[in-house]
Structures are given as C-alpha cells and as structure tokens.
Amino acid sequence: MRTDDDFYETFGEPRVNEKDDTVLFETYGEDFEFVRSVDPNLVWTVMQADDDDSLILVPGLHFVNRINYVIAGRPRTEDENNDPTWQEVLWVESMDRDFDGDGEDEDDLPTP
C-alpha cells in the first residue's frame, strides 16, 4: 500500500480548503459542490480502512463510507487510474505540513 508521502511526491500538495485552512473538503454543501466541479482525476475520497481504524485515500468521488474529499495538486493519469497500487493510499492527516504557506510546519509552531 502506498503512503501519503507517496501521494504528495506524485500528485503534489493538495488544494487547501480556505474555509477552514485544511486539505479536507466536506461531503455536503458548498464543499461538495466544489469537489464535484473540479476535474474528476483530481478528486480522492478519504475513507476508513476495512481492516483497522486507519484512514485511506481512494481515487475518485465515492459516496459510501466517505469521510472527506481531498483535491490533488495534479490529476491522475490513465496509467495511474489503472495501477492497483494507487487504489488505496494510507492517509495520515499530516497537519504538520506547511499547508498555509507560511514557511513553517505546524509542528514547529510554538504552543500557546
């Protein structure tokens, strides 16, 4: 199974949901409408893995067992869509990445 590091390396930094400064998009409302409006090869669905409590990313827009959506930085190619190693990506919601573009990872920020 591929990891979220593989995802970032291959598909780039996900689009940030400016509403709440995270890479996760909700499964309803304005977020869902936005997700449906982008190139389908950019969309990944966050789901709970069948065998444990970990989260996985699966390519495409799924409805059953969805938790959130992620919009990749670049679309999947046809080869990547057909590559079974991209069918489930272990997703560690890594909020220590510099999603807000301030040059500091979240782990490096002082605690209040």
Side-chain angles (χ1 to χ4, degrees):
M1 178 182 294
R2 300 217 186 206
T3 66
D4 58 346
D5 287 333
D6 297 324
F7 175 86
Y8 291 114
E9 184 177 311
T10 303
F11 301 104
E13 290 291 330
R15 186 173 298 181
V16 174
N17 184 344
E18 295 176 6
K19 184 174 66 180
D20 56 6
D21 201 30
T22 179
V23 299
L24 301 174
F25 289 83
E26 294 294 342
T27 60
Y28 56 88
E30 291 178 13
D31 279 6
F32 184 60
E33 292 304 316
F34 175 72
V35 168
R36 290 184 45 201
S37 74
V38 301
D39 178 346
N41 285 312
L42 288 170
V43 177
W44 294 72
T45 304
V46 179
M47 306 172 92
Q48 188 166 351
D50 290 334
D51 56 350
D52 59 27
D53 289 334
S54 60
L55 298 178
I56 56 172
L57 273 180
V58 295
L61 181 77
H62 297 269
F63 299 99
V64 177
N65 299 329
R66 65 190 177 171
I67 296 173
N68 288 100
Y69 295 108
V70 172
I71 311 282
R74 82 152 179 84
R76 295 179 305 280
T77 65
E78 190 66 33
D79 287 341
E80 289 161 343
N81 278 329
N82 294 322
D83 182 345
T85 66
W86 283 114
Q87 296 309 303
E88 288 186 357
V89 175
L90 183 61
W91 178 251
V92 178
E93 189 179 337
S94 302
M95 296 319 293
D96 58 342
R97 296 181 188 273
D98 181 29
F99 293 126
D100 59 7
D102 66 0
E104 294 182 345
D105 288 342
E106 295 296 320
D107 281 352
D108 297 338
L109 297 176
T111 55

